[in-house]
Amino acid sequence: MRLFRWIIVRRFAEERFRSLLVVLGVALGVAVFLGIRLASDSALASFAHGVDAVAGRANLEVSAGTGGFDERAFAVVEREPGVTAAAPAIEVYVRAHAGGAAARASGRPVAPASGVAAANHAGEESRAAAAADARRSRWPETLLMLGVDVLREAPFARVEPPAGAAAGDASPMATTVLAGPGAAAIPATLATRLGLAIGDTLSVLASGRPSPLIVRQVLGAGALDRDLGGRVVVVDLATAQDVLGRYGTIDRIDVIVAPERRDAVRASLALRLPPGVHAELPRARTQQVENMVRAFRLNLAALAFIALFVSMTLVFNAVAMSVLRLRREIGILRALGVTRGGILRLFVAEGLVLGGAGSVIGLALGTLFARGALHAVSRTLTDLYLVRQAGTFAPDGRLYAEAFAVGMVVSLAAALLPAWEAAGTPPGLSMREAMLIEARRSGVGRWAAAGGALIVAAAAVARWTVTEQRAAGGFVSAALVLAGFALLAPLVTRTLSRAAAPLARRLGGIEAELGARTLDRMVARVAVVVAAVAVAVGMTVSLTLMVRSFRRTVDTWITQSIRGDLYVEPYGHRENGGATALPPAFVHAASAIPGVRGMDTLRGTRIAFRGRPVLVLGVEFDTQRRFGALRFVRGRASDVLERARARGEAIVSESFASHFGVGAGDTLALSVPAGDARLLIAGVVYDYSTDAGVLFVDAATYARLWRDDRTESLALYLSPGADADGVGSRLNALAGDSLVLAVTPNRALRRSALRVFDQTFQV
């Protein structure tokens, strides 16, 4: 400690600015590592807490795809031996606003096709479009509508009773929420934010249809308030079915069983439940989301380690410079009896002090960075994976300890090599030659050979990665590239410094030549700085090229895939998800609007396939064959689509094929509402809408297997010369006040898709 105070601490004081830069460099590396981990883990933890809040005390969950299942399955679950409590539930996100009673969707039918003729007047079309814009702007809030059977709620304790009621007592809620149609209970946080009191109206928008709910109860503070930020409205199950137009279906059944009997009950239900309905642990939803976003998190973690790599080079350079400047003092200390171990500990301690100070500052910076990055991460989870309630910052002591430990380990590893060199130098040689020792021990050739070998290995790993489709190999290859070029830095530095010396003398005189020759003599130390700058610049260039190349690819895909002129969906479709349904009369009337020469319909659901959520979409293969321009990995689009439509086969996205190792000609075994199904893969299509994987089937096949013929959205193909704005106005006029539409032109949808892409890569 005396030596440390006399030598190292004194040098810190003399070189305050240089030491501060090293500390800040380490702090930034630790901050990026911690911030990215905190942001991604907070987003997923927030989602998990939301799942737990909605599940309450349930330790088993019966569910199907996002479209729900027949409520008659509840009787099967309730009668299962070992089931202590069971309750059906509906869980759908809706748009909402406070104040004013909107017209009930069921109170006004959709205009028939003949209404199109009445909407042809230009002034009326303009007024309809303006009114549609005004109606859409009225729905700023996104809330989770939770439909429950209040008479069965008490055992699950997910709804906090109002002040004055006993914990777990469902009777006050049953009395108020069942007081009449459209009654609702909301958390106190939501009531305060929207200025709602008992008796006020909260209007919600589902499938584009406005429905007024009357606030009959303000719930006490509880999990729904804490973990969902109060963004929830609780209604009776029948009210939820009425608002959503989903009579006879539910989203899940929450079940409480004795822990020791849970596996037995789960196995028994698997034999008795209808096809496509499964009993899982509530946390299975969180695990599926984690599986889905694993690649996203892995990329962020890899970038964080690059920041730590650069921090490591800064610490290495700082300790190496300290060893270099103290060569003579080291020799004197050794001659006076200081052991090699003492010298080693002296400079290792210097690296640990720099690393410790940087790590402590990095923890604070990482917290600030995480709070800023959380918004970008949660937006990405929502945009790409429809994962909501993922924006609450959740500091984790384990991550802080891990980040501090990583900072210290990196600093220790960086300090060991120069400290070992200082301890191993003979004292007499240190006193006589001091800094000249570095010129004699550079080993540039050996480093360059090792660097070349690593680059060759990186190429081999990259080739294996592409051949075997193993994503982890890409990260190994990138790490080898970084290490290889870092080891080549001494040779490049020496070569360029020797080549620059004559030119430097002509341009800058003897001083410039001496500077160039100093780079040659101090190549070991200088090369570390060169390597750090090379890594930083290299990562900037590679990320820029990758993102811009990918963006151009996505832009090309959007141009080829989004061929419709107008895309029509109920406003709030992204929130409602699989609960969305356009009225059949509206769909039929839309196809008859003058200027519409073709129409594609879409509906979908999310299912778990091999433990991973995938999106199943039902589209019109014939319309895609006639108007679309899909690109397949193999085969002509028209041939593949026609064969898939005629034979009831499936088409999978490239990401689906990659995740599950399947391709054209393979067969997929699925459990669907119609029973067990085997779908032959007709082709693999390029699709970048989600990396979770997409399974496309024809609309008729979807209706047959999933027993679902609803329409979520439309793509309209217009005749040449048709007025897109005029058709959009007719659609809004056709919808009237009973249906709030989002009519998006092709160009606007492309801009929106690229905006999502840019948001994804912002972090």
Side-chain angles (χ1 to χ4, degrees):
M1 289 304 298
R2 285 198 190 98
L3 288 177
F4 186 80
R5 289 197 302 271
W6 291 344
I7 297 176
I8 304 300
V9 173
R10 183 177 298 172
R11 198 178 68 81
F12 284 162
E14 292 173 353
E15 301 181 359
R16 291 185 295 272
F17 185 67
R18 186 188 299 274
S19 301
L20 179 61
L21 286 180
V22 175
V23 169
L24 289 179
V26 175
L28 286 174
V30 172
V32 171
F33 176 82
L34 174 65
I36 285 177
R37 292 288 304 278
L38 272 177
S40 57
D41 283 19
S42 293
L44 289 176
S46 178
F47 173 78
H49 292 157
V51 170
D52 292 342
V54 173
R57 293 176 180 169
N59 57 1
L60 204 62
E61 181 180 283
V62 176
S63 62
T66 51
F69 58 97
D70 195 320
E71 64 182 8
R72 287 176 292 185
F74 176 74
V76 176
V77 175
E78 188 179 35
R79 290 196 298 264
E80 178 65 32
V83 171
T84 304
I90 287 179
E91 181 183 340
V92 174
Y93 281 90
V94 295
R95 291 274 187 160
H97 75 84
R104 294 286 295 182
S106 57
R108 178 174 179 177
V110 175
S114 58
V116 174
N120 281 337
H121 190 273
E124 187 173 345
E125 291 173 1
S126 178
R127 287 192 297 273
D133 290 339
R135 289 200 301 272
R136 287 193 292 268
S137 67
R138 291 178 55 211
W139 307 94
E141 289 281 337
T142 298
L143 304 178
L144 175 66
M145 185 169 68
L146 183 61
V148 298
D149 185 339
V150 292
L151 296 177
R152 302 175 185 271
E153 269 301 292
F156 297 92
R158 60 185 143 207
V159 177
E160 192 74 14
D169 183 9
S171 57
M173 184 176 175
T175 302
T176 54
V177 175
L178 291 179
I186 61 174
T189 301
L190 181 65
T192 301
R193 188 169 75 248
L194 299 183
L196 291 171
I198 293 177
D200 288 345
T201 299
L202 174 69
S203 296
V204 298
L205 188 72
S207 290
R209 293 185 293 266
S211 298
L213 300 175
I214 307 301
V215 178
R216 297 296 186 189
Q217 188 178 92
V218 176
L219 302 172
L224 297 180
D225 238 339
R226 181 181 64 253
D227 296 325
L228 292 175
R231 294 184 294 272
V232 62
V233 52
V234 183
V235 298
D236 180 60
L237 192 70
T239 299
Q241 290 174 328
D242 183 39
V243 169
L244 298 170
R246 290 176 51 189
Y247 304 103
T249 66
I250 54 179
D251 285 330
R252 68 172 195 278
I253 302 170
D254 295 319
V255 184
I256 298 177
V257 299
E260 65 274 8
R261 299 206 56 185
R262 186 170 59 186
D263 292 340
V265 170
R266 182 179 172 187
S268 176
L269 287 175
L271 301 175
R272 301 179 58 200
L273 288 170
V277 183
H278 309 281
E280 300 285 352
L281 304 182
R283 66 172 178 267
R285 276 195 284 171
T286 303
Q287 184 61 50
Q288 289 175 358
V289 171
E290 289 180 353
N291 291 340
M292 191 162 52
V293 303
R294 183 180 296 152
F296 178 67
R297 299 177 71 196
L298 183 60
N299 279 281
L300 295 184
L303 296 179
F305 277 108
I306 295 300
L308 286 172
F309 182 88
V310 176
S311 301
M312 186 175 181
T313 62
L314 294 175
V315 174
F316 179 94
N317 188 60
V319 178
M321 180 176 291
S322 179
V323 170
L324 181 67
R325 294 192 174 194
L326 297 172
R327 288 279 195 199
R328 196 174 302 278
E329 288 83 350
I330 292 170
I332 294 172
L333 290 172
R334 289 294 313 282
L336 292 174
V338 178
T339 64
R340 288 186 177 184
I343 298 297
L344 179 69
R345 288 192 295 273
L346 181 66
F347 289 102
V348 166
E350 178 184 7
L352 290 178
V353 168
L354 291 171
S359 296
V360 170
I361 297 174
L363 297 184
L365 289 177
T367 303
L368 295 176
F369 175 58
R371 290 182 179 276
L374 179 59
H375 174 71
V377 171
S378 59
R379 277 283 303 275
T380 296
L381 295 182
T382 299
D383 289 339
L384 290 188
Y385 309 110
L386 302 182
V387 174
R388 302 189 184 278
Q389 71 223 40
T392 303
F393 179 68
D396 187 340
R398 178 182 56 83
L399 287 181
Y400 281 95
E402 185 179 315
F404 182 82
V406 167
M408 295 299 290
V409 169
V410 165
S411 301
L412 175 62
L416 273 176
L417 184 59
W420 188 269
E421 182 191 358
T425 304
L429 190 62
S430 295
M431 287 187 290
R432 288 195 309 272
E433 300 190 22
M435 290 190 296
L436 295 177
I437 296 174
E438 187 175 21
R440 294 171 29 162
R441 297 188 173 184
S442 58
V444 170
R446 293 193 301 273
W447 294 337
L454 290 179
I455 292 173
V456 171
V461 173
R463 181 178 178 84
W464 174 85
T465 300
V466 174
T467 304
E468 299 295 326
Q469 294 291 301
R470 300 292 180 88
F475 294 100
V476 173
S477 179
L480 291 174
V481 167
L482 291 178
F485 276 95
L487 290 176
L488 283 176
L491 177 61
V492 174
T493 304
R494 168 166 288 181
T495 302
L496 292 179
S497 64
R498 289 179 176 178
L503 180 62
R505 182 167 188 174
R506 286 198 297 270
L507 296 178
I510 188 65
E511 296 90 347
E513 182 182 8
L514 287 174
R517 293 191 183 279
T518 300
L519 294 181
D520 186 8
R521 291 198 306 273
M522 308 300 176
V523 65
R525 179 176 61 82
V526 174
V528 176
V529 182
V530 173
V533 176
V535 169
V537 174
M539 286 305 300
T540 302
V541 171
S542 64
L543 282 175
T544 302
L545 288 174
M546 183 196 73
V547 172
R548 289 187 179 180
S549 298
F550 192 16
R551 194 180 194 277
R552 183 172 298 176
T553 301
V554 170
D555 192 19
T556 302
W557 164 73
I558 291 172
T559 302
Q560 294 170 341
S561 302
I562 302 180
R563 306 286 289 186
D565 297 288
L566 289 176
Y567 288 82
V568 185
E569 62 183 5
Y571 189 64
H573 176 206
R574 288 187 61 82
E575 288 78 13
N576 303 156
T580 307
L582 282 168
F586 173 83
V587 176
H588 176 73
S591 66
I593 292 177
V596 175
R597 60 173 178 151
M599 183 173 72
D600 192 5
T601 62
L602 180 141
R603 72 283 301 146
T605 184
R606 286 190 180 272
I607 64 171
F609 182 71
R610 299 182 188 175
R612 184 183 179 93
V614 298
L615 181 62
V616 180
L617 293 180
V619 298
E620 306 284 352
F621 279 177
D622 186 57
T623 303
Q624 285 293 328
R625 181 184 62 82
R626 290 187 294 124
F627 300 106
L630 298 177
R631 287 188 60 210
F632 285 81
V633 175
R634 291 188 186 87
R636 292 175 52 193
S638 58
D639 296 338
V640 176
L641 288 166
E642 177 57 30
R643 184 171 66 251
R645 185 193 65 80
R647 301 178 182 177
E649 296 175 352
I651 293 169
V652 299
S653 67
E654 186 186 22
S655 57
F656 185 101
S658 177
H659 285 314
F660 302 111
V662 297
D666 292 333
T667 300
L668 302 175
L670 301 172
S671 179
V672 298
D676 293 336
R678 298 179 65 83
L679 287 177
L680 186 70
I681 299 176
V684 178
V685 67
Y686 292 107
D687 179 88
Y688 303 110
S689 55
T690 174
D691 73 342
V694 185
L695 176 67
F696 299 92
V697 295
D698 185 59
T701 303
Y702 185 93
R704 175 172 56 85
L705 295 180
W706 274 268
R707 294 176 176 171
D708 179 8
D709 60 355
R710 66 194 167 83
T711 298
E712 291 183 23
S713 62
L714 308 173
L716 301 181
Y717 299 86
L718 306 183
S719 303
D723 180 13
D725 291 338
V727 173
S729 298
R730 288 175 181 141
L731 287 166
N732 283 308
L734 182 64
D737 294 332
S738 64
L739 186 62
V740 182
L741 291 180
V743 181
T744 309
N746 180 292
R747 187 180 298 112
L749 188 60
R750 290 176 58 189
R751 284 199 303 267
S752 176
L754 290 175
R755 196 160 48 242
V756 170
F757 176 91
D758 294 335
Q759 169 67 34
T760 301
F761 283 95
Q762 185 182 61
V763 69

